Amino acid sequence: ANKLLQRLFNFDKDNIPEKNIQLIQPYINSPAFQPTEIEKASKACTAICMWSRAMNTYHFVAKQVEPKRKKLAEAEAELEITMGKLQKARDELQGVMDKITELENGLNTALAKKEDLANQVEQCSARLGRAKKLIGGLGGEKDRWTQSVAQFAIDYVNLLGDVLISSASIAYLGPYTSDFRAKLVAKWHKCIEDLHIPHTPKCDLVNTLGDPVTIRS
C-alpha cells in the first residue's frame, strides 16, 4: 500500500503517454466509473477512481495550457531581451544627455568668457581713447614745456643781474618818485652791462619778483 501511494505521489503527470489516455477513456466515459458508484463497492477504490479522473482531466487541461505556457515563456524571454535593449538604449541616452549637459556647461562658460572679453575690450577701447586724448593734450603741452625749460635756463643764467636790480630797487627806490626811480634803474642796467653781469634786458622789480596773476587781480 505504501509503495502504491508513493508511486501515486511521484507519478509524472506532465508526461502521461497519449496511448494510456486513450486506453482509459472508455472507463472515464463510463457512468459506472464515477466516485459515487465506485464508493458503493469499495471506498479504497474510490480514491483510485478520483485520482485517475483527476490525472485524465489534468492531462487535457495541461494540453491546452502547455502551448500558452510555452508562449508565455517565449514572451518572457523576448521581453527580457527587449528590456535589455531598452536598458542599453536608456544608458546610451543617459550618456548622450550627460554629453549634452557637458556641452551646455562648456557653452555657458564660453559665452560668459566671451562677454567678459567683450567688456574688457570695451574698457580697453575707452581707456585707449582717453589715453589718446591725454597724449594729444600732452603733445600740445610739450611745446609750452620746452619753451618754459628754455626760458628757465635763460632766467637761471640772468638770475644774478635780475636779483641785483630787484634787491637794489627794494633797498633804495622807496623814497623817490617814479621818474627818478626809472633813471636810477637805467643807470644800474648800464653798470651791470659794463661789468658783464648776466641779466634780463630791461629787468625790474615787477618782472623779476612780481606774480602776473596777483598783479592782474
Side-chain angles (χ1 to χ4, degrees), residues 152-203:
F152 290 154
I154 296 172
D155 292 342
Y156 182 77
V157 173
N158 296 331
L159 183 61
L160 179 59
D162 293 350
V163 171
L164 183 60
I165 297 297
S166 297
S167 60
S169 298
I170 294 172
Y172 301 112
L173 297 183
Y176 304 112
T177 63
S178 59
D179 292 338
F180 188 70
R181 291 175 186 174
K183 291 178 181 180
L184 287 176
V185 171
K187 289 181 179 181
W188 293 341
H189 282 168
K190 182 67 171 58
C191 291
I192 61 177
E193 288 176 2
D194 293 341
L195 295 173
H196 303 291
I197 298 175
H199 65 283
T200 302
K202 297 182 180 180
C203 63

Side-chain angles (χ1 to χ4, degrees), residues 25-121:
Q25 287 310 303
Y27 298 101
I28 297 298
N29 296 330
S30 173
F33 194 68
Q34 298 292 330
T36 54
E37 297 297 325
I38 299 298
E39 189 177 9
K40 294 176 182 178
S42 171
K43 291 186 177 181
C45 290
T46 302
I48 297 298
C49 174
M50 294 173 65
W51 181 87
S52 299
R53 298 184 69 86
M55 292 299 101
N56 181 74
T57 302
Y58 179 84
H59 173 77
F60 287 103
V61 171
K63 285 180 65 176
Q64 296 177 356
V65 172
E66 186 61 24
K68 297 179 180 180
R69 184 181 298 171
K70 289 181 179 180
K71 289 182 179 180
L72 176 61
E74 292 174 357
E76 289 177 344
E78 184 176 354
L79 176 61
E80 184 176 357
I81 294 173
T82 302
M83 292 302 294
K85 292 180 179 179
L86 177 60
Q87 186 60 43
K88 182 179 179 181
R90 285 176 176 173
D91 293 340
E92 291 177 353
L93 177 60
Q94 186 62 44
V96 172
M97 295 302 294
D98 293 341
K99 186 64 177 180
I100 291 175
T101 301
E102 181 181 355
L103 292 175
E104 287 179 345
N105 292 336
L107 176 61
N108 292 334
T109 301
L111 290 175
K113 186 175 182 180
K114 176 184 176 183
E115 184 176 357
D116 182 60
L117 290 175
N119 292 334
Q120 292 183 22
V121 169

Side-chain angles (χ1 to χ4, degrees), residues 115-162:
E115 184 176 357
D116 182 60
L117 290 175
N119 292 334
Q120 292 183 22
V121 169
E122 185 176 355
Q123 292 177 0
C124 289
S125 298
R127 291 173 181 172
L128 182 60
R130 291 193 295 269
K132 288 181 178 180
K133 291 180 180 179
L134 178 60
I135 292 172
L138 293 176
E141 291 291 319
K142 179 182 178 182
D143 296 336
R144 187 177 66 83
W145 291 344
T146 302
Q147 294 174 0
S148 297
V149 169
Q151 186 61 47
F152 290 154
I154 296 172
D155 292 342
Y156 182 77
V157 173
N158 296 331
L159 183 61
L160 179 59
D162 293 350

